[in-house]
Amino acid sequence: RKEVEQDPGPFNVPEGATVAFNCTYSNSASQSFFWYRQDCRKEPKLLMSVYSSGNEDGRFTAQLNRASQYISLLIRDSKLSDSATYLCVVNLSRGNKLVFGAGTILRVKS
Amino acid sequence: DAGVIQSPRHEVTEMGQEVTLRCKPISGHDYLFWYRQTMMRGLELLIYFNNNVPIDDSGMPEDRFSAKMPNASFSTLKIQPSEPRDSAVYFCASSRPGTTHEQYFGPGTRLTVT
């Protein structure tokens, strides 16, 4: 079983739509969680951290469910510029290693 | 302030040749990470350094791969001899003390081994 699993998509949505991605992780001892964004043929960049209480950054909302070991990302009012691959990232309890999911592709169309 | 710098951006080489990838982390960052990304396996951590010392190289695929960090501003990843299955995008990333989750990635080196 992979340590971090994501639906690869693609999710094809119209501008203005709300879209949600889920991610599951296998190690219950995982300490911290993040979403990174990767544009086509570019490097990954940190989008936001995910806190147990849930957190919001503009149109983006991240949630963590430790009991079910899943993380979610909600994007409201999708923009064309949101088109990218969204990587779910977990920091395991050991060391400073980040484990990246394979990513979920989002395509926002006009 | 300059971000993480990697060179070369593209490398095409023949099987059996030695390949050296270079990385300059962001000044003041004390962690440096080398990743490999392929369609099949996604983004995999190969090795990381803290204060120029290798901490975890468990992701290095085999003895053909080696990495060094002779000083705080330079690191290399070497593949000798290269094989077609090494074809991938290799990223270097760095992070500040205490914030290893916020990694700043370089633009990557796209390696093709024929």
Side-chain angles (χ1 to χ4, degrees):
Chain A
R1 184 182 172 188
K2 291 182 181 178
E3 290 177 322
V4 180
E5 297 207 55
Q6 297 182 248
D7 180 346
F11 286 66
N12 296 301
V13 302
E15 273 187 291
T18 295
V19 61
F21 311 134
N22 288 331
C23 158
T24 58
Y25 60 94
S26 60
N27 189 332
S28 59
S30 298
Q31 294 294 309
S32 46
F33 311 88
F34 313 94
W35 285 99
Y36 272 66
R37 169 192 168 131
Q38 185 172 23
D39 292 327
C40 187
R41 301 180 77 84
K42 297 287 190 179
E43 70 273 19
K45 294 183 180 179
L46 177 65
L47 178 66
M48 60 195 302
S49 300
V50 187
Y51 304 121
S52 297
S53 55
N55 50 300
E56 190 173 304
D57 183 1
R59 298 181 292 107
F60 297 81
T61 301
Q63 297 273 354
L64 168 64
N65 184 318
R66 284 190 184 270
S68 301
Q69 295 182 206
Y70 81 77
I71 306 150
S72 65
L73 177 67
L74 181 78
I75 305 175
R76 290 181 299 278
D77 189 23
S78 300
K79 311 290 184 191
L80 293 175
S81 58
D82 294 334
S83 297
T85 297
Y86 291 83
L87 304 169
C88 176
V89 185
V90 172
N91 184 287
L92 302 180
S93 58
R94 58 183 186 275
N96 297 286
K97 294 171 65 167
L98 296 182
V99 179
F100 286 75
T104 298
I105 298 171
L106 172 65
R107 297 181 184 143
V108 182
K109 298 178 186 271
S110 59
Chain B
D1 190 19
V4 175
I5 298 172
Q6 291 187 246
S7 65
R9 295 291 306 275
H10 301 273
E11 177 81 32
V12 179
T13 191
E14 291 183 347
M15 183 174 63
Q17 296 298 305
E18 177 180 296
V19 175
T20 299
L21 312 181
R22 297 173 176 80
C23 174
K24 177 179 169 54
I26 294 172
S27 177
H29 285 194
D30 64 348
Y31 279 88
L32 184 139
F33 305 83
W34 281 101
Y35 291 90
R36 177 172 68 177
Q37 188 173 39
T38 61
M39 288 293 292
M40 291 296 295
R41 300 175 67 91
L43 194 62
E44 303 173 283
L45 177 66
L46 301 177
I47 184 172
Y48 77 92
F49 296 82
N50 179 220
N51 291 320
N52 315 335
V53 176
I55 303 300
D56 187 338
D57 65 354
S58 60
M60 296 285 263
E62 47 199 271
D63 292 346
R64 299 184 298 106
F65 285 69
S66 62
K68 294 181 180 179
M69 191 164 187
N71 57 62
S73 59
F74 184 66
S75 177
T76 60
L77 177 68
K78 187 174 292 187
I79 308 172
Q80 166 63 17
S82 58
E83 297 182 2
R85 61 190 168 125
D86 301 330
S87 297
V89 180
Y90 290 81
F91 288 106
C92 174
S94 69
S95 63
R96 290 189 296 263
T99 61
T100 50
H101 67 280
E102 186 170 4
Q103 297 182 12
Y104 293 81
F105 282 73
T109 295
R110 186 171 297 274
L111 173 65
T112 303
V113 183
T114 60

CSV table of all heavy atoms in Angstrom, one decimal, chain A residues 11-35:
chain,number,residue,atom,x,y,z
A,11,PHE,N,-9.7,16.1,-12.9
A,11,PHE,CA,-10.9,16.7,-12.6
A,11,PHE,C,-11.1,17.9,-13.6
A,11,PHE,O,-10.3,18.8,-13.6
A,11,PHE,CB,-10.9,17.3,-11.1
A,11,PHE,CG,-11.1,16.2,-10.1
A,11,PHE,CD1,-10.1,15.3,-9.9
A,11,PHE,CD2,-12.2,16.2,-9.3
A,11,PHE,CE1,-10.2,14.3,-8.9
A,11,PHE,CE2,-12.3,15.2,-8.3
A,11,PHE,CZ,-11.3,14.3,-8.1
A,12,ASN,N,-12.1,17.8,-14.4
A,12,ASN,CA,-12.4,18.8,-15.4
A,12,ASN,C,-13.6,19.6,-14.9
A,12,ASN,O,-14.7,19.0,-14.8
A,12,ASN,CB,-12.7,18.2,-16.7
A,12,ASN,CG,-11.5,17.5,-17.3
A,12,ASN,OD1,-10.4,18.1,-17.5
A,12,ASN,ND2,-11.6,16.2,-17.6
A,13,VAL,N,-13.4,20.9,-14.6
A,13,VAL,CA,-14.5,21.7,-14.0
A,13,VAL,C,-14.6,23.0,-14.7
A,13,VAL,O,-13.6,23.5,-15.2
A,13,VAL,CB,-14.3,21.9,-12.5
A,13,VAL,CG1,-14.2,20.6,-11.7
A,13,VAL,CG2,-13.1,22.8,-12.2
A,14,PRO,N,-15.8,23.6,-14.7
A,14,PRO,CA,-15.9,24.9,-15.3
A,14,PRO,C,-15.5,26.0,-14.4
A,14,PRO,O,-15.5,25.8,-13.1
A,14,PRO,CB,-17.4,25.0,-15.6
A,14,PRO,CG,-18.1,24.2,-14.6
A,14,PRO,CD,-17.1,23.0,-14.3
A,15,GLU,N,-15.1,27.1,-14.9
A,15,GLU,CA,-14.8,28.3,-14.0
A,15,GLU,C,-16.0,28.5,-13.1
A,15,GLU,O,-17.1,28.5,-13.5
A,15,GLU,CB,-14.6,29.5,-14.9
A,15,GLU,CG,-13.3,29.8,-15.5
A,15,GLU,CD,-13.1,31.1,-16.2
A,15,GLU,OE1,-13.8,31.3,-17.2
A,15,GLU,OE2,-12.4,32.0,-15.6
A,16,GLY,N,-15.6,28.9,-11.9
A,16,GLY,CA,-16.6,29.2,-10.9
A,16,GLY,C,-17.1,28.0,-10.1
A,16,GLY,O,-17.8,28.2,-9.0
A,17,ALA,N,-16.7,26.8,-10.5
A,17,ALA,CA,-17.2,25.6,-9.8
A,17,ALA,C,-16.4,25.4,-8.5
A,17,ALA,O,-15.3,26.0,-8.3
A,17,ALA,CB,-17.0,24.4,-10.6
A,18,THR,N,-17.0,24.6,-7.6
A,18,THR,CA,-16.3,24.2,-6.4
A,18,THR,C,-15.9,22.8,-6.6
A,18,THR,O,-16.6,21.9,-7.1
A,18,THR,CB,-17.3,24.3,-5.2
A,18,THR,OG1,-17.6,25.6,-4.9
A,18,THR,CG2,-16.6,23.7,-3.9
A,19,VAL,N,-14.6,22.5,-6.2
A,19,VAL,CA,-14.1,21.2,-6.4
A,19,VAL,C,-13.3,20.7,-5.2
A,19,VAL,O,-12.8,21.6,-4.5
A,19,VAL,CB,-13.1,21.1,-7.7
A,19,VAL,CG1,-12.0,22.1,-7.5
A,19,VAL,CG2,-12.7,19.7,-8.0
A,20,ALA,N,-13.4,19.4,-4.9
A,20,ALA,CA,-12.7,18.9,-3.7
A,20,ALA,C,-11.9,17.7,-4.0
A,20,ALA,O,-12.3,16.9,-4.8
A,20,ALA,CB,-13.8,18.6,-2.6
A,21,PHE,N,-10.7,17.6,-3.4
A,21,PHE,CA,-9.8,16.5,-3.6
A,21,PHE,C,-9.6,15.8,-2.2
A,21,PHE,O,-9.5,16.5,-1.2
A,21,PHE,CB,-8.5,16.9,-4.1
A,21,PHE,CG,-8.4,17.8,-5.2
A,21,PHE,CD1,-7.6,18.9,-5.2
A,21,PHE,CD2,-9.2,17.6,-6.3
A,21,PHE,CE1,-7.6,19.8,-6.3
A,21,PHE,CE2,-9.2,18.4,-7.4
A,21,PHE,CZ,-8.4,19.5,-7.4
A,22,ASN,N,-9.5,14.5,-2.2
A,22,ASN,CA,-9.2,13.8,-1.0
A,22,ASN,C,-7.9,13.1,-1.1
A,22,ASN,O,-7.4,12.8,-2.3
A,22,ASN,CB,-10.3,12.8,-0.6
A,22,ASN,CG,-11.6,13.5,-0.2
A,22,ASN,OD1,-11.5,14.6,0.4
A,22,ASN,ND2,-12.7,12.8,-0.4
A,23,CYS,N,-7.3,12.8,0.0
A,23,CYS,CA,-6.0,12.1,0.0
A,23,CYS,C,-6.1,11.2,1.3
A,23,CYS,O,-6.6,11.6,2.3
A,23,CYS,CB,-4.9,13.1,0.0
A,23,CYS,SG,-3.4,12.6,0.7
A,24,THR,N,-5.5,10.0,1.2
A,24,THR,CA,-5.5,9.1,2.4
A,24,THR,C,-4.0,8.8,2.6
A,24,THR,O,-3.2,8.7,1.7
A,24,THR,CB,-6.3,7.8,2.2
A,24,THR,OG1,-5.8,7.1,1.1
A,24,THR,CG2,-7.7,8.1,2.0
A,25,TYR,N,-3.7,8.6,3.9
A,25,TYR,CA,-2.3,8.3,4.3
A,25,TYR,C,-2.4,7.0,5.1
A,25,TYR,O,-3.3,6.8,5.8
A,25,TYR,CB,-1.6,9.4,5.0
A,25,TYR,CG,-2.2,9.9,6.2
A,25,TYR,CD1,-1.8,9.5,7.5
A,25,TYR,CD2,-3.3,10.9,6.2
A,25,TYR,CE1,-2.4,9.9,8.6
A,25,TYR,CE2,-3.9,11.3,7.4
A,25,TYR,CZ,-3.4,10.9,8.6
A,25,TYR,OH,-4.0,11.3,9.7
A,26,SER,N,-1.3,6.2,5.1
A,26,SER,CA,-1.3,4.9,5.7
A,26,SER,C,-0.7,4.9,7.1
A,26,SER,O,-1.0,4.1,7.9
A,26,SER,CB,-0.6,3.9,4.9
A,26,SER,OG,0.8,4.3,4.7
A,27,ASN,N,0.2,5.9,7.4
A,27,ASN,CA,0.9,5.8,8.7
A,27,ASN,C,0.2,6.7,9.7
A,27,ASN,O,0.2,7.9,9.6
A,27,ASN,CB,2.3,6.3,8.5
A,27,ASN,CG,3.2,6.1,9.7
A,27,ASN,OD1,2.7,6.1,10.8
A,27,ASN,ND2,4.5,6.0,9.5
A,28,SER,N,-0.4,6.0,10.7
A,28,SER,CA,-1.2,6.7,11.7
A,28,SER,C,-0.3,7.7,12.5
A,28,SER,O,-0.9,8.5,13.2
A,28,SER,CB,-2.0,5.8,12.6
A,28,SER,OG,-1.1,4.9,13.2
A,29,ALA,N,1.0,7.4,12.5
A,29,ALA,CA,1.9,8.3,13.3
A,29,ALA,C,2.3,9.5,12.6
A,29,ALA,O,3.1,10.3,13.1
A,29,ALA,CB,3.1,7.5,13.7
A,30,SER,N,1.8,9.8,11.4
A,30,SER,CA,2.2,10.9,10.6
A,30,SER,C,1.9,12.2,11.5
A,30,SER,O,0.8,12.3,12.1
A,30,SER,CB,1.4,11.0,9.3
A,30,SER,OG,1.8,9.9,8.5
A,31,GLN,N,2.8,13.1,11.3
A,31,GLN,CA,2.7,14.3,12.2
A,31,GLN,C,2.1,15.5,11.6
A,31,GLN,O,1.3,16.2,12.2
A,31,GLN,CB,4.1,14.7,12.7
A,31,GLN,CG,4.8,13.6,13.5
A,31,GLN,CD,4.1,13.5,14.9
A,31,GLN,OE1,3.8,14.5,15.6
A,31,GLN,NE2,3.7,12.3,15.2
A,32,SER,N,2.4,15.8,10.3
A,32,SER,CA,1.9,17.0,9.7
A,32,SER,C,1.6,16.8,8.3
A,32,SER,O,2.1,15.9,7.6
A,32,SER,CB,2.9,18.2,9.9
A,32,SER,OG,4.3,17.7,9.7
A,33,PHE,N,0.8,17.7,7.7
A,33,PHE,CA,0.2,17.5,6.4
A,33,PHE,C,0.2,18.8,5.6
A,33,PHE,O,0.0,19.9,6.2
A,33,PHE,CB,-1.2,16.9,6.6
A,33,PHE,CG,-1.2,15.8,7.6
A,33,PHE,CD1,-1.4,16.0,9.0
A,33,PHE,CD2,-1.1,14.5,7.2
A,33,PHE,CE1,-1.4,15.0,9.9
A,33,PHE,CE2,-1.1,13.5,8.0
A,33,PHE,CZ,-1.2,13.7,9.4
A,34,PHE,N,0.3,18.6,4.3
A,34,PHE,CA,0.4,19.8,3.5
A,34,PHE,C,-0.2,19.6,2.1
A,34,PHE,O,-0.3,18.4,1.7
A,34,PHE,CB,1.9,20.3,3.3
A,34,PHE,CG,2.7,20.2,4.6
A,34,PHE,CD1,3.4,19.1,5.0
A,34,PHE,CD2,2.6,21.3,5.4
A,34,PHE,CE1,4.0,19.1,6.2
A,34,PHE,CE2,3.3,21.3,6.7
A,34,PHE,CZ,4.0,20.2,7.0
A,35,TRP,N,-0.5,20.6,1.4
A,35,TRP,CA,-0.8,20.6,0.0
A,35,TRP,C,0.2,21.4,-0.8
A,35,TRP,O,0.5,22.5,-0.4
A,35,TRP,CB,-2.2,21.1,-0.3
A,35,TRP,CG,-3.3,20.1,0.1
A,35,TRP,CD1,-4.1,20.2,1.2
A,35,TRP,CD2,-3.8,19.0,-0.6
A,35,TRP,NE1,-5.0,19.2,1.3
A,35,TRP,CE2,-4.8,18.4,0.1
A,35,TRP,CE3,-3.4,18.4,-1.9
A,35,TRP,CZ2,-5.5,17.3,-0.3
A,35,TRP,CZ3,-4.1,17.3,-2.3
A,35,TRP,CH2,-5.2,16.8,-1.5
